[in-house]
Amino acid sequence: MYITERPGGLADQTMSKAMGLDETMSIPIGSTPEDAVEQFRSSSHHVRVVHQEPVDGGVILFTERTNSGASSNLQLEYVRKSLFGWKWVWGGGYGTSEIDPSEYALHYMNMPRLEGLETPFPMVFGTIEHSGVVRVTAESQPHGEDAGFSTEARVVQAGIDKLIWFAMLPVSDHAAYTIKVYDEAGKRVGEKQVEMTNDSGSLTLGKRNSSM
């Protein structure tokens, strides 16, 4: 088993192949999920964990860089539990410059599924930027043999003035779906059609946005 899980072992070879890399990554084994991420990233930025979400086989860490200079930034890291500790599997994030919170409802980023790997993806995540937004959904219409879906995002208080949101998405051949945001009265106050791939961006209040 250690031959599989060791840094540069069979598990890392499978991961590297799924990511389309020519060389095999050497992913360290951490004593905790945070330790696994810190060892793999080796970042000079100070990173703060704002939320941990347990999932089958591991945990998703949501972090932010406290000295990045960005107005809003959020990173997602998925780590899995092995017999020998924790290993980083997949992650990504975004950073934005100064924004007008009266205009933007939220920021978002998609994490696509990796072929050949067991992960909780695809999913979409981000930060809520406007205090009037209390509910977020991700929806798609039926398309051919695809029945479509409607998923309620989870909204988490990740600090005194920070709200993050995330939604697990079904595996689908139809890449397009729509993020919708609602206020306390249940009124839809914005929506945006996005791609279920490496799409990221912002949703503007009161407008039908499109990245298509």
Side-chain angles (χ1 to χ4, degrees):
M1 181 63 73
Y2 183 71
I3 294 176
T4 299
E5 295 291 353
R6 69 176 178 80
L10 297 177
D12 290 358
Q13 293 174 28
T14 301
M15 163 65 70
S16 301
K17 183 178 179 179
M19 296 177 67
L21 302 177
D22 294 329
E23 298 182 355
T24 298
M25 293 188 297
S26 181
I27 302 175
I29 298 175
S31 58
T32 65
E34 296 92 333
D35 181 46
V37 172
E38 289 176 1
Q39 288 196 58
F40 178 77
R41 291 296 185 187
S42 301
S43 174
S44 60
H45 292 294
H46 182 265
V47 175
R48 180 170 70 96
V49 177
V50 296
H51 179 67
Q52 294 191 35
E53 184 69 16
V55 293
D56 288 343
V59 63
I60 294 175
L61 274 65
F62 294 90
T63 68
E64 65 175 5
R65 299 185 302 276
T66 58
N67 61 341
S68 69
S71 174
S72 177
N73 72 88
L74 190 64
Q75 183 85 11
L76 176 153
E77 309 282 8
Y78 170 56
V79 295
R80 64 177 177 83
K81 186 71 168 64
S82 75
L83 290 176
F84 307 98
W86 294 87
K87 293 203 70 167
W88 179 91
V89 179
W90 186 230
Y94 65 85
T96 64
S97 58
E98 194 67 32
I99 63 168
D100 181 357
S102 66
E103 179 181 1
Y104 289 103
L106 55 76
H107 301 308
Y108 71 88
M109 180 175 179
N110 281 302
M111 290 298 297
R113 176 172 175 256
L114 285 176
E115 294 292 340
L117 291 178
E118 291 293 331
T119 70
F121 308 121
M123 69 176 291
V124 58
F125 71 99
T127 53
I128 292 179
E129 301 296 328
H130 195 282
S131 60
V133 174
V134 300
R135 180 178 173 233
V136 183
T137 65
E139 306 175 17
S140 75
Q141 298 298 317
H143 182 80
E145 296 183 357
D146 191 329
F149 66 88
S150 178
T151 301
E152 187 87 12
R154 185 176 176 196
V155 177
V156 176
Q157 188 80 43
I160 297 176
D161 57 353
K162 191 178 191 68
L163 286 175
I164 65 173
W165 67 278
F166 54 92
M168 306 300 184
L169 303 174
V171 176
S172 173
D173 293 331
H174 186 208
Y177 70 98
T178 302
I179 298 172
K180 298 180 180 180
V181 296
Y182 300 83
D183 63 15
E184 290 183 347
K187 178 183 178 182
R188 190 170 69 227
V189 292
E191 63 180 79
K192 184 173 184 178
Q193 189 175 22
V194 300
E195 291 283 347
M196 198 187 296
T197 52
N198 293 314
D199 193 11
S200 63
S202 302
L203 191 155
T204 307
L205 283 175
K207 296 180 181 179
R208 182 180 177 87
N209 303 254
S210 177
S211 64
M212 304 291 289

